[in-house]
Amino acid sequence: MLFISSSSASLHRPRRLAGLFTWLLTGTLLLGAASCATLPRPRGVGMGAAFAVGTCVNVGKLQANAAYRTTIEREFSSVTAETDMKMDVIQPRLNTFEWTKADALVRFARQHRQRVHGHALVWHGSTPKWVEQFPGDTAAWDGLLRQHIQTTVGHFKKQVKAWDVVNEALEGDGSLSHTVWYNHLGPSYVARAFRYARQAAPQALLFYNDWDIEGEGAKLNGALALLARLKAQGIRVDGVGFQLHTSVGASVGTVSAAMQKVAALGYLVHLSEVDVELNRQGQLGAATQPPAEALAQQRQFVRDLVAAYRQLPPARQYGITFWGVSDGDTWLRGFKHHPEWPLLFDEQYQPKPAYEGFREGVAAPVVAR
Ligand code: XIL
């Protein structure tokens, strides 16, 4: 009924105004908190966190394994394709683009109101064979780079608002690796990649992503120098992805110092591929179960890591993404050829002590710096 007496209408006005005020305030805080307009609804392990908590996702497994799927729906607010947005999957042949799997992931994320973090436009580790054998001159290579980036970013423009543009460009000493892109385009391939991605999605958040840059050593310095060179050329990079393939023996204090340094320069910080090894040297032999003591160490490491992440300025906290859901899903078992238990869930998709560690880290007090 539209017959509202003037007295009841005015009674409702203050509440409506208060509601509007709260809405504006919340919106402003959220925008400030992650500089990413739509922070997805926190859930599961990320409940109470002011940043997105994610996992990488394998689309085949998502379709085939119900426990995997329901854990992702329940626990994570952000997803990254483990392989299905990489060049060898997206463009298996020159000018042939395959979107089926990546589209399925994007649909899943939309259905569950999760953020999709795009990974990765340029990575020598996923360059298809035909690219390695591509015969063209510099102009043709530049065209190849541009076309792959712009077609991919353009295809997902509506739903993927953040991308790892260049992945793992650096050697341990901080110099640029001589990858296939470097060999054909020289060091400028990095700047070209960011420029092409920016042209295709001017509002997107663009990241440089790498491993072992949390050590505060030559590699981090190389990354900072690379970012400074890009900035001097007028190229905007929004964030840095610390992959953080790490182990319980690592120092959270060192990781924290590296993150703080990057945040102080104005970049978003994404812990983009976290796994915390218990068996880095294979010292646990052929164990079939992780020792309780190692699981407790992992819990503490994760707790301290999350607490340290929350010490970053809120506007720099883009999110924490694990590189897999359960220990049975980890890429490390295949990569390292020995047992490993680096994630938050066990093979049965039950939360491990590290899961509790994450929750404790989210609840830890933020100390004024
Ligand atoms: C890995 C995937 O987990 C594997 O399934 C795949 O076979 C190879 O790539 N750094 C990255 C990720 O940026 O894309 C890699 O993912 C792991 C290392």
Side-chain angles (χ1 to χ4, degrees), residues 66-84:
Y68 181 76
R69 186 172 58 247
T70 53
T71 307
I72 294 170
E73 293 167 6
R74 193 183 64 238
E75 301 288 342
F76 298 105
S77 58
S78 178
V79 291
T80 304
E82 182 167 14
T83 52
D84 297 311

Side-chain angles (χ1 to χ4, degrees), residues 54-58 68 72 78-82 272 321-325:
T55 177
C56 74
V57 176
N58 175 301
Y68 181 76
I72 294 170
S78 178
V79 291
T80 304
E82 182 167 14
S272 58
T321 298
F322 286 86
W323 209 240
V325 181

Side-chain angles (χ1 to χ4, degrees), residues 30 33 39-53 75 77 306 310 317 355 358-364 366:
L30 282 179
L39 198 60
R41 186 174 57 82
R43 66 197 76 176
V45 69
M47 195 67 87
F51 50 85
V53 181
E75 301 288 342
S77 58
V306 174
R310 291 178 57 245
Q317 296 174 19
Y355 181 99
F358 197 100
R359 304 286 310 135
E360 290 157 3
V362 168
V366 175

